[in-house]
Amino acid sequence: LWSQILGEFETTSRAEAAQLCDGLLRFVDALVGHGGSKVETVRTLDAMQHYLESRLQGNVTVQDLCAQFGVSRATLYRLFEPVGGVQAHLTQRRLKRCFNELSRAEPGEVTVMDVARSWGFRHPSSFARQFKKAFGVSPSTVLGQPLETDTSRRSAPDAPEDMHRNYSRWLHDLSDTL
C-alpha cells in the first residue's frame, strides 16, 4: 500500500498531490487517533502562509492575520510555533525572495539595499547579518550570480518537484515507524 501511495506522488500534478496529501494526512491523523483537529490545524496554517506569501512586500500585522482568519493571537502564535513564529516565517520568506531577486539582478543596475528595501528590510547591517546567517554568504556575493550554485539550491523556494520528493521521503519514513 505504501509503495502505491509513494508511486502516486511521483506521477501527479501539483493539484492532485495536494489532494493526495490532504487525504493522507486525514488517514494518518485518524490512525493516531486525533480526529480532524490536526488536519484543520495544517489547513489553517497553510492558508495563513499563502495569505502571507501574497503580502510579503506589504506591512502585515498580527492583528490583520487574526482578523482575516478569525483566530486569537494565542492561536496564531501556537499555529506558527513549529515554523519558528510569525515574524521568523515572514523574515525567512522575504530573505528567500531577496536571494532570488539578487541572483537575477544586474550588479550595475540595482543595489543590494534596493532589493532589501523592496522586501521590507530597512537597516543595511541588520539585513546583511540576517542574510548571511540564512544563506552562509553575503548579499553582495549573491548579486548577479545565477541560481545554480550550491548555496542557492539550498536556499531557493521549494519547487513543486521538491515538495513531491519531501512528501515521498516523509511518507517513507512514516511507513518505517508504523
Side-chain angles (χ1 to χ4, degrees):
L1 176 67
W2 286 112
S3 61
Q4 286 176 312
I5 292 172
L6 289 173
E8 287 293 320
F9 277 104
E10 295 174 8
T11 60
T12 61
S13 70
R14 187 174 182 167
E16 291 169 330
Q19 289 175 339
L20 283 170
C21 288
D22 185 48
L24 182 61
L25 284 174
R26 287 176 192 254
F27 173 71
V28 170
D29 205 41
L31 281 176
V32 295
H34 291 289
S37 63
K38 293 257 187 211
V39 172
E40 288 306 314
T41 299
V42 169
R43 281 187 184 157
T44 302
L45 179 60
D46 188 49
M48 287 180 175
Q49 288 174 329
H50 285 294
Y51 176 84
L52 290 172
E53 191 75 25
S54 69
R55 289 159 180 78
L56 285 177
Q57 286 183 298
N59 183 22
V60 181
T61 66
V62 168
Q63 293 82 5
D64 295 337
L65 205 52
C66 289
Q68 177 70 26
F69 290 92
V71 298
S72 69
R73 289 173 79 88
T75 299
L76 178 70
Y77 292 141
R78 197 169 27 260
L79 285 169
F80 275 87
E81 188 176 9
V83 293
V86 178
Q87 192 58 47
H89 174 76
L90 281 171
T91 300
Q92 175 207 31
R93 298 305 302 155
R94 287 174 173 154
L95 285 169
K96 284 185 178 191
R97 293 289 181 95
C98 287
F99 184 100
N100 289 336
E101 205 167 303
L102 284 169
S103 69
R104 291 189 310 263
E106 289 294 325
E109 296 176 14
V110 69
T111 68
V112 168
M113 278 317 295
D114 289 337
V115 173
R117 282 190 186 101
S118 75
W119 291 102
F121 296 97
R122 301 289 172 237
H123 305 287
S125 60
S126 175
F127 170 71
R129 198 171 32 257
Q130 289 176 321
F131 192 94
K132 184 157 184 147
K133 183 178 179 184
F135 306 115
V137 295
S138 68
S140 58
T141 302
V142 175
L143 183 61
Q145 298 300 313
L147 281 175
E148 287 75 43
T149 65
D150 286 339
T151 301
S152 65
R153 262 201 306 266
R154 283 195 315 266
S155 58
D158 294 337
E161 58 273 8
D162 292 334
M163 266 192 330
H164 289 240
R165 190 172 24 262
N166 291 341
Y167 283 126
S168 294
R169 189 177 306 117
W170 176 79
L171 286 171
H172 184 267
D173 293 345
L174 181 65
S175 68
D176 290 342
T177 63
L178 291 179

